[in-house]
Amino acid sequence: MLAKDIMTSPVTTIEEGHNVRDAVEIINLRNIGAVPVLDALGRVVGIVTEGDLLRRVASSWARHPVPHTRDRDSALADYIKARSWRIEDVMTSPVISATSTATASQLAELLQAHGVKHVPVVDAGKLVGIISRRDLMRALLDVPKDCTASGDEALQTAVQSRLESELGLLRPAVKASVSGAIVTLCGEVDSEIEKDAARVAAESVRGIQGVVTKITVAYHMLSRFKP
């Protein structure tokens, strides 16, 4: 699944010449979590989020002087964000963005790595959409399981293939058998988490209705590392 399949489009935006009150009104009226900021040429130059506005509200109640310390520049930047009514002073910039061909996993990694909740989607310098954490969560629920042929034999082949290709669990170490769409996993693995991963791999095959795990953990292999 790609960004273009998940993103919200068209996007509600605001121009950098507007003020913070305009951004608050847009976010409340549209019930959205972020507003990309565009310059006169339509390029994304920043983004104003609910988090930016909430931090502003929280800090506006305190009127402490900016200290003359080695962190003064950072404190002054916080002061400007808390007091200014100009969009360009309050917005987050530069903007973390993605292209419309980015995959769902790449988008999730991008959000996680940068600690952001919204990512504008930009193609050839033009804003074409926006993706939020909530969009990704909905997409996760909508993604169908991989299609497989029907019948126990086909399901067995599919499960065995997934165990081998995704987890490196080859026969005869771990063997899958299927009867009535119920898969039974037998064999031996090196750890409890590897056993759980094998179960998850089998459960994720479309058509499987249950998993019986008879896999054992080779604790004797771990004893080799004990002093």
Side-chain angles (χ1 to χ4, degrees):
M1 187 170 290
L2 304 180
K4 61 184 178 182
D5 304 315
I6 305 171
M7 68 185 188
T8 297
S9 183
V11 186
T12 299
T13 62
I14 190 170
E15 294 181 357
E16 58 183 344
H18 286 247
N19 61 43
V20 173
R21 289 189 180 88
D22 296 328
V24 172
E25 290 178 0
I26 290 173
I27 286 176
N28 288 336
L29 180 64
R30 301 283 185 174
N31 191 28
I32 54 180
V35 181
V37 182
L38 306 183
D39 65 9
L41 299 178
R43 297 172 299 193
V44 181
V45 293
I47 188 168
V48 177
T49 69
E50 286 179 316
D52 293 327
L53 299 175
L54 286 174
R55 281 191 293 272
R56 175 186 174 83
V57 172
S59 61
S60 65
W61 294 107
R63 291 282 180 175
H64 303 300
V66 178
H68 285 272
T69 65
R70 62 181 181 180
D71 295 329
R72 181 172 170 80
D73 286 351
S74 177
L76 287 170
D78 290 340
Y79 175 87
I80 291 171
K81 272 186 171 289
R83 300 290 184 266
S84 179
W85 287 99
R86 294 184 179 184
I87 286 291
E88 56 263 37
D89 289 334
V90 177
M91 68 184 185
T92 297
S93 181
V95 181
I96 304 301
S97 63
T99 65
S100 62
T101 55
T103 65
S105 61
Q106 289 173 332
L107 292 167
E109 290 174 3
L110 191 65
L111 290 169
Q112 187 71 17
H114 294 279
V116 296
K117 295 183 178 180
H118 300 82
V119 174
V121 181
V122 179
D123 281 341
K126 181 180 179 182
L127 179 68
V128 295
I130 189 168
I131 291 174
S132 67
R133 289 185 180 180
R134 187 174 299 178
D135 294 328
L136 278 175
M137 294 301 293
R138 281 196 296 264
L140 178 64
L141 294 177
D142 291 339
V143 172
K145 295 181 180 179
D146 291 344
C147 295
T148 61
S150 60
D152 289 344
E153 185 176 349
L155 289 174
Q156 179 176 318
T157 300
V159 171
Q160 197 70 54
S161 175
R162 183 156 302 183
L163 291 170
E164 295 178 1
S165 64
E166 297 184 0
L167 301 179
L169 296 176
L170 307 178
R171 297 179 65 175
V174 175
K175 181 180 179 181
S177 59
V178 178
S179 177
I182 304 296
V183 59
T184 300
L185 300 176
C186 299
E188 191 176 75
V189 295
D190 293 343
S191 64
E192 288 289 345
I193 195 168
E194 196 168 42
K195 177 179 175 180
D196 290 339
R199 171 184 54 79
V200 170
E203 288 174 341
S204 65
V205 174
R206 184 178 185 179
I208 292 297
Q209 298 180 11
V211 178
V212 177
T213 304
K214 295 184 178 181
I215 297 174
T216 59
V217 178
Y219 293 105
H220 65 279
M221 296 182 67
L222 299 179
S223 65
R224 294 180 303 174
F225 300 97
K226 294 183 179 180

